[in-house]
Amino acid sequence: MDDRPLTADRKSPSTVRRPSSGYLKAILAIAWKDLASELRSRELLSAMLVFALLVILIFNFALELDVATRGAVTSGVLWVTFAFAGTLGLNRSMAIEKDRGCLDGLLLAPVDRSAIYFGKFLSNLAFMFIVEAIVLPVYSVLYNVNLFNPGLLLVILLGSVGYVAVGTLLSSMAVQTRTRDVLLPILLFPVAVPVLVAAVKASSGFLQGLAFAEIAPYVNQLIVYDVIFIAVAFMVFDYVVEE
Amino acid sequence: MEPTPDTIAYMIAGYTVFAVVMAIYLASLAVRFRRLRRDLSLLDGIETK
Amino acid sequence: MKPQPLVLKILNIVSALLLAGAFAMAMWYAPVEKVMGAVQKVFYFHVAVAWVGMLGFLAAAVAGIIYLRTRDLKWDIVEVAAVEISLVFFLIAIALGSIWARPAWGTYWTWEPRLTTAAILEMIYIALLLLRQSLEEPEKRARFSAVYTLVGSISVPITFLSIRFSRTIHPVVIGPGGSADTGMMPEMLATMFVSLAVFSVIFVTLFWHRIRLGQMAEKVEQARLKAMQ
């Protein structure tokens, strides 16, 4: 990728800024491109899904998920599953870009670099949501727990947003290194601890039917984390993809 | 009033750990310095040839 | 490489003497704590390395930001120097804390906010070193590690806050509810502040050496490229 012939795009992103409707369109176009190609190949989603179900299966044996322990560990098991399946998806979705040379193409496109970030963020988030939408009912059926709790769904939404926000940024870094796939979880997990802690606590609060006042601090934390890390990623993404 | 417990072994362990970790780090710095110095003189030798 | 400047040579000796002084002060000037016994003397070095290590990570984040602004590789050398020494200091802080915790709390480790955050902090900066290892281009390596240092230094305080909701058993030494009820005698406080100052000097000395090492590595790299041509 160092022999890329064109250097016309090395100007600072502000000089190539398009009208905001174009910016939004670019984001959606990138996200749509990912979703459309995924609809055809289904390689990423199927891998994430099978992996997620296997993780749940392993937890079943590892933790002896009987009725008594289930209540206490459900939220933990769910979030570990989402986090693991999430890294798998994040890694793959960036690796595809890189291997097919799409990333270089995208970087040449006359859009603000951050549009690429938000496009990838949206498609990664969509994959995560699809996996979650399948894992939740399966888990409910397998373990006879009712997971259709609006509070829990809100937490899953907020937690996934934060996780994917950092994950998209870090995976675009990891994919450009020598160790690639191995590096993403190592980079991502320690930084994502606050999302996971807050998400697990809030989820188990909702599952145990605690009063909202007791869960609110964790939900607030998730919102704060989401806002901060989307902002940070927006500011530094340029440095990660520049050539 | 309870008598002060005898925890001197832990204290010795603590300062030993401190000394060992510091010594390892200093040694690693020294080793890396030596290697770089060797590489540098080697490369200088190639250049002057 | 130029020989060590005189100031650095003096700093070497001063650091060693100061370390010996701080050690002597902790041993023989500070009184033995009545409840915990001699192990409490570990605390002076523990607090000092933890604080200085923390400042080191902060310095690394600042150096990273300056790198992204100036694109001058010397800031990358500064950043990695700060990270490396802080990692060593933090490792010592965690080890000393565990040794102190064993007789005081009855366990080497507990998932208490400060300990957990310290462990995660250590993991983040180890991950940073791994990231650097798998990048060869100096410019890209500098850019990525600056970004990751920034992300890490924002995440660490949030991590601390997110775990703090659970009850803490870690003593608060400075700040509200501090020295008055931890029963620190004036000699103990004096020893603590002296250790803090001493470890700041030691940090500066190590930092200087590590920066020189980084500069030398860069020089070797350039010489190697030149020799290959």
Side-chain angles (χ1 to χ4, degrees), chain C residues 177-198:
Chain C
S179 52
D181 44 287
T182 47
M184 289 242 291
M185 285 183 234
E187 290 93 341
M188 292 179 168
L189 269 177
T191 312
M192 188 183 88
F193 284 115
V194 168
S195 321
L196 254 168
V198 166

Side-chain angles (χ1 to χ4, degrees), chain C residues 47-216:
Chain C
V47 171
V49 284
W51 266 97
V52 178
M54 203 72 142
L55 292 178
F57 286 128
L58 214 66
V62 173
I65 294 171
I66 298 178
Y67 172 76
L68 289 179
R69 290 240 156 262
T70 62
R71 301 304 174 105
D72 186 344
L73 276 176
K74 79 174 177 226
W75 290 106
D76 182 55
I77 294 175
V78 170
E79 185 204 300
V80 72
V83 164
E84 199 181 283
I85 299 166
S86 298
L87 263 176
V88 174
F89 273 29
F90 238 70
L91 184 70
I92 294 175
I94 292 175
L96 291 187
S98 293
I99 289 168
W100 173 84
R102 176 66 204 172
W105 297 340
T107 166
Y108 284 109
W109 189 263
T110 150
W111 292 103
E112 180 274 344
R114 283 179 202 223
L115 300 189
T116 313
T117 313
I120 291 167
L121 183 84
E122 196 82 358
M123 293 310 295
I124 290 179
Y125 289 95
I126 290 173
L128 175 73
L129 294 185
L130 289 176
L131 172 70
R132 293 182 65 90
Q133 255 177 26
S134 65
L135 285 161
E136 263 133 33
E137 269 175 77
E139 186 272 333
K140 187 184 252 183
R141 185 169 58 207
R143 207 155 23 92
F144 281 17
S145 51
V147 168
Y148 192 66
T149 317
L150 189 66
V151 171
S153 61
I154 294 169
S155 149
V156 166
I158 307 180
T159 305
F160 178 67
L161 291 178
S162 74
I163 316 175
R164 214 185 60 176
F165 285 107
S166 53
R167 196 168 55 101
T168 174
I169 56 171
H170 192 284
V172 177
V173 184
I174 299 170
S179 52
D181 44 287
T182 47
M184 289 242 291
M185 285 183 234
E187 290 93 341
M188 292 179 168
L189 269 177
T191 312
M192 188 183 88
F193 284 115
V194 168
S195 321
L196 254 168
V198 166
F199 275 95
S200 307
V201 175
I202 295 175
F203 185 91
V204 170
T205 312
L206 288 173
F207 195 38
W208 194 336
H209 282 293
R210 184 61 186 77
I211 288 174
R212 281 170 54 86
L213 184 80
Q215 288 168 338
M216 210 161 144

